[in-house]
């Protein structure tokens, strides 16, 4: 089973229906993936997800109002994290590891603090802490203005030929699934998610209390030239989280994990299996 072919399943909780896909073996600690701004299950890189699923269970899902899930997309990171926790517990999972990319990395930070019995290890890629530096709307507007064949090329990758070549390969992989693809996100997703991200980064937090409360092992991965969430965010998280490791990938932007999928998966495996 692969990300391109995995069946979309649904989990009903109260009046919400979560869409999700499961890959990998039936045993082992599941790795739950938390997606980026406006991203759906089909925005993940199959090269990353399929490789991670070779050795452990992997779950991708759409949070409230996103993709094939029902409900209304919240406009706070706090509520999104709570909804993700509801989904994970609804699957009957007692303990999981998290991979959170961008907005998903913000959710992962809160889940680790608020539900420590549920969350084991954290991989935080391309994210920012509370009070972190963000240039979300400026970067998104500039990316759309460039008229690229896919907005993710200027949004996730640097202008260098090497990075753009890797970006084109990523886009080809991410669009390979043809059946049961999630619908693309519209304003009903982008507007509340943008409000959530901007609010998260605008909220100054004394003594970095959330980060310092994370007791789980954390791997922080970032691009050297991330214009959306500059790499100083990664360094600040690394310094504040008591048990954190930091990796910066060269000549890479917001989508560094998709530019170096093999290297990223290798680093994840070393971290998760330690």
């Amino acid at each position: 089973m692969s990300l391109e072919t995995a069946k979309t399943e649904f989990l009903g909780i109260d009046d919400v229906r979560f869409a999700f896909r499961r890959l990998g073996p039936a045993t082992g600690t599941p790795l739950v993936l938390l997606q980026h701004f406006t991203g759906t299950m089909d925005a993940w890189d199959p090269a990353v997800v399929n490789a991670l699923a070779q050795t452990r269970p992997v779950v991708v899902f759409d949070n409230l109002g996103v993709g094939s899930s029902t409900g209304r997309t919240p406009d706070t990171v706090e509520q999104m994290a709570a909804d993700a926790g509801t989904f994970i517990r609804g699957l009957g999972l007692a303990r999981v590891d998290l991979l959170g990319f961008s907005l998903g990395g913000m959710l992962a930070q809160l889940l680790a603090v608020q539900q420590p019995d549920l969350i084991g290890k954290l991989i935080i890629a391309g994210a920012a802490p509370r009070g972190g530096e963000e240039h979300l709307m400026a970067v998104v507007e500039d990316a759309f203005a460039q008229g690229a064949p896919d907005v993710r090329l200027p949004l996730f990758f640097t202008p260098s030929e090497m990075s753009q070549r890797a970006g084109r390969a990523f886009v080809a992989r991410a669009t390979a699934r043809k059946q049961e693809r999630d619908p693309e996100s519209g304003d009903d997703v982008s507007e509340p998610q943008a409000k959530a991200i901007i609010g998260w980064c605008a909220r100054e937090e004394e003594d970095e209390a959330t980060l310092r409360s994370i007791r789980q092992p954390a791997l922080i991965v970032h691009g050297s030239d991330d214009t959306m969430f500059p790499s100083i965010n990664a360094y600040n998280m690394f310094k504040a989280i008591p048990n954190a490791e930091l990796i910066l990938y060269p000549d890479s932007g917001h989508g560094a994990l998709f530019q170096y999928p093999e290297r990223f998966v290798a680093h994840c495996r070393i971290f998760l299996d330690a």
Side-chain angles (χ1 to χ4, degrees), residues 157-159 222-231 249-254:
F157 302 89
T158 75
H222 219 88
S224 61
D225 297 294
D226 188 332
T227 54
M228 188 179 297
F229 301 114
S231 57
Y249 291 138
D251 184 26
S252 55
H254 192 55

Side-chain angles (χ1 to χ4, degrees), residues 47-263:
V48 169
V49 178
N50 295 341
L52 288 170
Q54 289 177 6
T55 57
R56 62 170 50 232
V58 172
V59 178
V60 298
F61 79 104
D62 293 327
N63 216 339
L64 259 67
V66 177
S68 299
S69 290
T70 64
R72 183 175 180 178
T73 301
D75 62 5
T76 67
V77 172
E78 289 78 6
Q79 186 58 53
M80 292 178 196
D83 294 337
T86 297
F87 166 74
I88 293 169
R89 292 189 184 277
L91 283 181
L93 302 176
R95 187 81 168 171
V96 303
D97 297 329
L98 298 177
L99 163 55
F101 171 42
S102 191
L103 171 59
M106 301 169 191
L107 273 60
Q109 295 170 52
L110 283 183
L111 281 165
V113 174
Q114 296 175 355
Q115 305 198 45
D117 62 314
L118 181 64
I119 308 303
K121 295 184 176 182
L122 307 176
I123 302 169
I124 302 171
R130 266 191 177 131
E133 183 179 349
E134 62 85 14
H135 305 284
L136 174 69
M137 298 313 298
V139 171
V140 169
E141 289 171 7
D142 178 69
F144 275 104
Q146 293 186 39
D150 191 292
V151 73
R152 288 171 292 188
L153 294 175
L155 197 61
F156 283 0
F157 302 89
T158 75
S160 79
E161 176 51 35
M162 183 191 75
S163 186
Q164 286 297 301
R165 184 168 59 249
R168 292 189 292 271
F170 157 70
V171 169
R173 295 191 300 268
T175 55
R177 183 181 178 112
K178 302 305 179 185
Q179 302 297 322
E180 289 188 325
R181 284 191 67 88
D182 275 335
E184 297 294 327
S185 297
D187 291 346
D188 57 338
V189 173
S190 63
E191 291 179 0
Q193 285 192 349
K195 182 179 178 181
I197 291 170
I198 293 168
W200 169 265
C201 290
R203 179 179 172 185
E204 296 291 336
E205 188 171 49
E206 186 175 354
D207 298 327
E208 298 170 313
T210 298
L211 296 176
R212 296 189 184 281
S213 298
I214 296 174
R215 298 302 170 185
Q216 298 91 332
L219 174 64
I220 299 163
V221 177
H222 219 88
S224 61
D225 297 294
D226 188 332
T227 54
M228 188 179 297
F229 301 114
S231 57
I232 189 62
N233 289 296
Y235 181 72
N236 288 339
M237 287 188 286
F238 162 69
K239 292 293 287 183
I241 297 174
N243 188 8
E245 303 173 35
L246 172 63
I247 297 174
L248 293 175
Y249 291 138
D251 184 26
S252 55
H254 192 55
L257 69 168
F258 306 144
Q259 179 167 331
Y260 298 99
E262 296 87 359
R263 191 181 306 185

